[in-house]
Amino acid sequence: MDYKKAQKLPDAPGVYFFLDKRKKILYIGKATSLQDRVKSYFAGDLIETRGPLLVKMIEEAHKIEYKETASVLEALLLEADLIKKFRPAYNTKEKDDKSFLCVVITKEDFPQILTIRKKDLSARTGLAEVYGPFTSGSQLKEALKIIRKIFPYRDEKCKLNSKRPCFNYSIGLCPGTCIGAIDKHCYAIRIRRIKLFLSGNIKKLTSDLEKDMKSLAKEHKFEAAKILRDKIYALNHVQDVALIKDDNLRAGSILDAFRIESYDIAHMGGKNMVGVMVVLSGGMLDKSAYRKFKIRGFENANDPGALKEMLSRRLNHPEWPMANLIVVDGGVAQINVMNQALKERGVSIPVLSVVKDDKHKAKGLLGDVAFGAKYKKEILLSNVEAHRFAIGYHKKLRNKNFLR
């Protein structure tokens, strides 16, 4: 065994290989730090921590090779791809690989992406692609959470030709295949991108997205180009997500913080309308993300129209993190104009409205009430804060004679 090489491995994520004298791969593993992980195989307590099987593998091993990756996530995907390709003896001996999870893509017009145990694959029909097996089911599920936030997809809970959207659509994890919100061609493009991801080819995926983004910009389709730019940004920050180290799984805050944007309008008898956006991120008020708007399109009272103008202007800023939920004051009219503004930009975000009594106290929610119940405390907090912020902004401008 080339122990010196083991000491010189980089302190970076990647995949490592133990080879025998004939250069046959004995074992493939993934690591947050190649250096630390491979060093652990030469610790004195290996038999207690990893068992006699891997001790035997170390005795047979003659050489260590490795492939560095840009992120821990890429290491997870590459490990599964290489194990499937080479089927190293000690990977299959260490644990019955029939119990490992695989990711499958179904063969249909709007494919589902599912996880299935390897032992159950033979009983399933209508599968177009199979990825894996993955040695860690928990890590695989974390990886799928990440990709689904970047590229929402259909699963078994999304029933086609439904009258109501599935729950995952309401939280931005399904593109709306259930209600016909995405066509076959656009969904096929999304599936191709997910296939690149699952193959571990994130560089190619990012490159393709960049080409598409530039083409859209040349065609002056700036909103669509900005959406792709956000996806590229998320992919380039996947390395911020720790999936492997000490099996302590946690998603990076850049992808996981649930963001609520709450909008409200203030005016004096219909004159000099202003609007505000307040933000809750991860359940906390994020005052650095608050925004103020002077309403330009209306001289008289038109709360729904003012809300639509405000959201449309907000969507001109893709550099601001996208919301997971939008909250407004009012009723069906307010929900409808917000949904219309989102639809015009090709954006899918659930909208809820807080209904008030004659004393301006919250008495209920409109929209997807079941979804709203999960975040009721945060919704009401953001709504009250938006009202306070809007009134304060209007008074400040009026007192300073900024409004005419």
Side-chain angles (χ1 to χ4, degrees), residues 245-257:
K245 193 170 186 179
D246 298 326
D247 290 327
N248 180 21
L249 308 178
R250 56 183 176 86
S253 60
I254 189 171
L255 296 172
D256 259 13

Side-chain angles (χ1 to χ4, degrees), residues 258-271:
F258 191 88
R259 179 181 171 104
I260 298 175
E261 291 180 2
S262 192
Y263 295 82
D264 201 6
I265 301 295
H267 52 82
M268 180 68 73
K271 301 295 183 181

Side-chain angles (χ1 to χ4, degrees), residues 161-181:
N161 303 314
S162 298
K163 293 182 179 179
R164 290 174 55 86
C166 67
F167 174 75
N168 284 320
Y169 176 75
S170 68
I171 57 173
L173 297 181
C174 167
T177 49
C178 42
I179 55 171

Side-chain angles (χ1 to χ4, degrees), residues 95-102 116-119 133-134:
K95 183 179 179 181
D96 180 8
D97 70 339
K98 292 182 179 180
S99 68
F100 290 159
L101 281 177
C102 295
I116 300 176
R117 295 208 176 274
K118 185 180 177 183
K119 63 183 175 65
F134 290 83

